[in-house]
Amino acid sequence: MSANDMDGLKALIDELQIADPESGSRNWTEVRQFNLMFSTQMSNIAGEEGKLYLRPETAQGIFVNFLNVQKTTRQKVPFGIAQIGKAFRNEIVARQFIFRMREFEQMEMQFFVRPGAEMEWYEYWKARRMAWHRAVSPAAKLRFKDHDNLAHYANAAVDIQFEFPFGFKELEGVHSRTDFDLGSHQALSGKKLQYFDPELNESYVPYVVETSVGVDRMFLSILSNALIEETVPDAQGEDSARTVLRIPPALAPVKCAVLPIVRNKEELVEKARGVFDRLKRHFPCQYDEKDAIGRRYRRQDAVGTPYCITIDFETLEDNSVTLRERDSMKQERIPVDRVADIVREKTDMLRLLDQLI
Ligand code: ATP
């Protein structure tokens, strides 16, 4: 039976009386081929359309440009090219919110190495990528899962899995793709994709270690872990429920909120507006004067704002403000002209990246 013999496959299923392991049913449809890639037509002349496919991964653009990038940026192997962009897959079942979509955003890196050095780099990138995920999510929610069946182009592959509310699922893939992609582009295009290694004084098609992560899936992992409901003491020491988005400060969409303690004192509101106008040039900030201060803190907690600045009557006297931290709810008094530096330092992406060094 050939690979595309659908009728033969159906006959075999009937002959062997294969049943659905769950329902026991043998009521099968005809065997059909799934189209996993999206196709479209290209041509501005009617009747002359040629079929083309939307990319199911961003990687191939990197492979075809490999020599351009290497030469124009004067890179030596080992080096990597990273890219972010849309990918499209005709998923059979697209579900679980944004976990599996037909159009999604990928961040991929192809790291080019000497043939034979791929396992060393594969281990390196496994560790580096896990370190990144641990910097933004708890270690207990992350694990490695080796592939049981390797794709035809790979000689090693692992998933970094995250424990989503619906179980441990793939978040990122790290694959050792050998010279399969560059080798295939070279064979089919007839154009050489070889690198001349000045240290070895020889040319070769580099081997590739790939890291591939879905932006949407990573967003879902961080969000599903961060949104928490907890009971905390309120201003009177009574138990009170709060919803808090414990998102890492570097990823929080709003870094800081400026809140005048009351809104019916013109002087106070003017001062708070002035502080807000200065801070909003530094990072995304919100100004809020509606409702009691406790409710405004809760509103900011729920959208994950790491810091709140409160302007009160003392501010008018000594130019100090209260800085309140989202997770611990600790408050401290700081001079108003230090607010921008302190909040920037605590919410800076570099601070997160420094953990990876
Ligand atoms: P899965 O086993 O979940 O179908 P995959 O093994 O097909 O994923 P890869 O081809 O390794 O995934 O793609 C790399 C990454 O791209 C995945 O780890 C995931 O984060 C993301 N990704 C893949 N398919 C989708 C999709 N349909 N929707 C959203 N993200 C996706």
Side-chain angles (χ1 to χ4, degrees), residues 64 66 85 108 112 123 126 142 163 167-169 186 222 267 289 304 306 334 353:
V64 264
F66 151 72
E108 294 196 304
F112 302 90
E123 292 302 331
K126 262 177 77 174
L142 292 158
E163 190 177 13
F168 270 101
K169 300 272 179 205
Q186 181 171 268
I222 291 168
E267 230 185 324
E289 56 178 32
I334 57 166
L353 295 176

Side-chain angles (χ1 to χ4, degrees), residues 138-346:
K141 294 219 162 208
L142 292 158
R143 70 180 188 196
F144 286 118
K145 175 89 175 55
D146 282 320
H147 283 205
D148 298 328
N149 301 309
L150 290 177
H152 62 282
Y153 53 78
N155 66 357
V158 70
D159 291 342
I160 295 177
Q161 292 188 331
F162 179 84
E163 190 177 13
F164 289 92
F166 39 85
F168 270 101
K169 300 272 179 205
E170 172 175 347
L171 177 59
E172 169 155 2
V174 181
H175 314 122
S176 173
R177 292 179 77 128
T178 69
D179 59 355
F180 175 80
D181 304 88
L182 287 178
S184 303
H185 283 296
Q186 181 171 268
L188 293 166
S189 68
K191 287 248 191 296
K192 277 210 164 137
L193 282 174
Q194 291 195 343
Y195 166 77
F196 176 74
D197 192 324
E199 281 165 37
L200 300 180
N201 207 21
E202 65 178 64
S203 294
Y204 52 78
V205 176
Y207 271 40
V208 169
V209 175
E210 166 188 77
T211 63
S212 175
V213 61
V215 181
D216 321 87
R217 231 177 243 193
M218 200 162 75
F219 175 83
L220 182 61
S221 72
I222 291 168
L223 208 65
S224 66
N225 176 61
L227 194 64
I228 287 166
E229 285 190 12
E230 61 179 15
T231 306
V232 290
D234 65 12
Q236 287 74 44
E238 301 287 318
D239 276 358
S240 128
R242 76 160 177 166
T243 303
V244 53
L245 187 70
R246 287 180 187 262
I247 193 168
L251 304 182
V254 180
K255 304 295 183 204
C256 170
V258 178
L259 319 170
I261 191 105
V262 290
R263 67 165 159 173
N264 52 8
K265 279 274 174 293
E266 205 177 304
E267 230 185 324
L268 213 63
V269 167
E270 212 171 278
K271 179 81 185 167
R273 282 247 165 232
V275 172
F276 172 67
D277 283 342
R278 257 181 296 138
L279 286 184
K280 73 182 183 193
R281 293 189 293 119
H282 293 262
F283 31 70
C285 254
Q286 281 189 354
Y287 174 82
D288 190 4
E289 56 178 32
K290 196 166 170 280
D291 298 322
I293 191 74
R295 287 190 69 174
R296 281 182 273 162
Y297 283 151
R298 293 285 185 275
R299 264 207 294 272
Q300 295 300 331
D301 289 343
V303 295
T305 307
Y307 294 97
C308 288
I309 305 292
T310 310
I311 314 290
D312 56 20
F313 293 100
E314 234 179 293
T315 314
L316 301 178
E317 281 162 27
D318 65 2
N319 239 356
S320 70
V321 295
T322 300
L323 177 78
R324 174 197 182 262
E325 202 265 333
R326 178 194 67 201
D327 297 347
S328 64
M329 300 190 299
K330 284 215 177 87
Q331 304 194 0
E332 60 174 313
R333 212 67 202 173
I334 57 166
V336 75
D337 52 10
R338 292 216 48 228
V339 172
D341 284 347
I342 292 176
V343 175
R344 191 186 316 100
E345 208 271 319
K346 288 178 186 287

